[in-house]
Amino acid sequence: MKRNKHFAALLGDSVLLCLFIPSGTESISVILISLAVTVCAAAMVVMCGICQWCQRKLGKRNKPTLEMVGTPDSSRARSESKAIKLPAGSKAVNTTPVQGQLPQDELDRRTDTRSSVSDLVNSLTSEMLMLSPGSEDDDSHDMPGRENLGRIQFSVGYNFHESTLTVKILKAQELPAKDFSGTSDPFVKIYLLPDKKHKLETKVKRKNLNPHWNETFLFEGFPYEKVVQRTLYLQVLDYDRFSRNDPIGEVSIPLNKVDLAHMQTFWKELKPCSDGSGSRGELLLSLCYNPTANTITVNIIKARNLKAMDIGGTSDPYVKVWLMHKDKRVEKKKTVVMKRCLNPVFNESFPFDIPTERLRETTIIITVMDKDRLSRNDVIGKIYLSWKSGPGEVKHWKDMIARPRQAVAQWHQLKA
């Protein structure tokens, strides 16, 4: 409105100037000059007004947002910070007191600012949901869960008159299958840590995943003051006639946390054995299945972080590969010995003839050994590859079957 009045005033002054100028050639020149000045002045006013008008229009979207970021103590910033905390789709309520009627431009700026911040909140909320645990895009659900190792029931108590600690191994349930026949031959070792030299063992229960032992063990002549300093450690293993027994799981309970005056019975979930597992190293190997030739080629690639077995802090590792069929050893092959090396590179391949009808009952046992010249060779760790092994081994076996004629490589943790 002010711009239009200013333009009309200038135009009126120019017309009056033209009326009072004398006639003649000089008057025409003066009139033309006056008109030119008037047109230029009007153009400048119009251009200046448009520029300010554009700035004010554009400022409705940009300027208040910048003020909110730059002046967090302002009433607008405080109001919008509350809006960010609201869930997406909720309405932000401005609780700032208002004194008098605000100009229309100010109301427009606040409305646009709330709209901008609301869009920002929705955008940030969407990104946070995409990155939050448990969302559909999270890769954590692809990670294999902890293997179910079963549970064990036992009782423990102390006889103060006879200074005797009593431990009863009752039973176990839902033990994993460790043998090729789909069962296990479980038994239990009993320790009072930190002493691992003296141990007691239950009987072996043949082909039983839910064994009942009901065996009682007595630690006689054991003063109570020393008993409460010990930890009862139970290790469930699968008996193996041809090789080392396979650990199934373990349970430990500090005796100072148990009321030993009466026999206490516990059900405890078995945990992965920590006795050397996780510190024996890893082995990278590949499997290649050729259904036409009925062969599986095992390529021992390399190992890393092997456990030091020698006094000098090193090992002389080599790898044995056994082909097993129905608990029977069929064929054995081995790599060369790598002297004084905890990260050896082998790159040796071994083909095995395996008919298709025997594939389901076949297991490949890979054992990393430490060569010893003066005594018996030490076992560093083992890997059992079949369709009934642990989660990582089963995955490798299935990947081999699903991708015939391709070398499928995978790292494996060595186990005791």
Side-chain angles (χ1 to χ4, degrees), residues 64-65 67-69 71-72 74-86 91-96 107 109-121:
T65 306
E67 287 179 0
M68 183 191 68
V69 176
T71 59
S74 64
S75 61
R76 287 192 299 274
R78 287 194 297 268
S79 175
E80 301 307 337
S81 65
K82 293 181 181 179
I84 291 176
K85 295 180 181 179
L86 293 176
K91 294 183 179 180
V93 179
N94 188 355
T95 58
T96 306
L107 293 175
R109 281 197 295 270
R110 292 199 176 195
T111 303
D112 291 338
T113 303
R114 282 197 295 270
S115 177
S116 305
V117 175
S118 178
D119 295 340
L120 177 62
V121 170

Side-chain angles (χ1 to χ4, degrees), residues 311-352:
I311 300 176
T314 61
S315 293
D316 301 323
Y318 69 98
V319 181
K320 290 195 305 184
V321 183
W322 271 104
L323 177 65
M324 307 288 294
H325 177 69
K326 289 185 177 180
D327 295 341
K328 295 182 180 180
R329 298 181 178 181
V330 178
E331 188 178 358
K332 181 185 77 170
K333 297 181 180 181
K334 62 181 180 179
T335 68
V336 298
V337 178
M338 308 298 290
K339 295 290 185 179
R340 294 181 293 278
C341 186
L342 299 180
N343 298 279
V345 178
F346 298 101
N347 284 325
E348 296 189 45
S349 297
F350 306 105
F352 294 94

